[in-house]
């Protein structure tokens, strides 16, 4: 009986020690390099915003998302003629890749309100780790 109790405790302690090790898998977030646009880039309303980025991970990538939103205090108005703040968000799967370079041409509507905006790029790896990179953008009226 004492032997069974000793074996049970030994097995339980061994399981507890090994299941709580510091080596619990991939905890390193993916690397994200937003090549274009540069921080503070001026984008003309009614043209395409060129986004060029590279993602890498030592294990495996999963997905990325690009979002563009205005840099206001959430106090929005529309101008006469129905213009509004530009908003864009789209995600893509890149499962099975360790290194991925992407290029997107995102159309900025002609009726978008000019002003300060943010470009935000999220990347997730297969283990759920995340990296976020943001750029400030300035949307300007066509000259």
């Amino acid at each position: 009986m004492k032997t069974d109790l000793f074996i049970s405790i030994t097995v339980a302690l061994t399981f507890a020690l090994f299941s709580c090790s510091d080596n619990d898998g991939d905890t390193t977030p993916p690397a994200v390099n937003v090549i274009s646009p540069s921080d503070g880039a001026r984008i003309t309303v009614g043209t395409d915003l060129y986004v060029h980025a590279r993602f890498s991970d030592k294990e495996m990538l999963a997905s990325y998302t690009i979002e563009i939103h205005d840099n206001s205090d959430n106090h929005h108005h529309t101008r006469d003629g129905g213009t509004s703040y530009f908003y864009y968000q789209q995600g893509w799967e890149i499962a099975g890749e360790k290194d991925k370079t992407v290029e997107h041409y995102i159309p900025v509507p002609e009726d978008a309100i000019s002003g300060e905006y943010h470009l935000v790029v999220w990347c997730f790896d297969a283990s759920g780790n995340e990296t976020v990179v943001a750029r400030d953008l300035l949307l300007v009226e066509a000259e």
Side-chain angles (χ1 to χ4, degrees), residues 25-31 56-61 98 125:
D26 179 17
T27 58
T28 304
S56 61
D57 190 71
K58 67 178 186 169
E59 298 294 326
M60 200 65 61
L61 296 166
K98 285 188 175 184
D125 67 15

Side-chain angles (χ1 to χ4, degrees), residues 45-62:
V45 171
T47 65
D48 288 344
L49 168 60
Y50 174 65
V51 178
H52 183 195
R54 180 175 179 206
F55 310 106
S56 61
D57 190 71
K58 67 178 186 169
E59 298 294 326
M60 200 65 61
L61 296 166

Side-chain angles (χ1 to χ4, degrees), residues 34-115:
V34 176
I35 300 160
S36 181
S38 60
D39 195 38
R42 295 171 59 92
I43 311 300
T44 303
V45 171
T47 65
D48 288 344
L49 168 60
Y50 174 65
V51 178
H52 183 195
R54 180 175 179 206
F55 310 106
S56 61
D57 190 71
K58 67 178 186 169
E59 298 294 326
M60 200 65 61
L61 296 166
S63 64
Y64 69 98
T65 299
I66 297 174
E67 178 179 297
I68 303 165
H69 60 263
D70 64 285
N71 181 17
S72 69
D73 61 358
N74 293 320
H75 183 88
H76 294 145
H77 295 279
T78 57
R79 289 193 261 166
D80 293 338
T83 58
S84 61
Y85 285 99
F86 173 53
Y87 179 79
Y88 174 89
Q89 183 182 47
Q90 186 168 344
W92 294 267
E93 296 294 322
I94 50 175
E97 304 269 357
K98 285 188 175 184
D99 189 75
K100 181 75 172 178
T101 299
V102 300
E103 294 180 283
H104 297 283
Y105 291 87
I106 300 169
V108 178
E110 290 182 8
D111 66 346
I113 294 175
S114 59

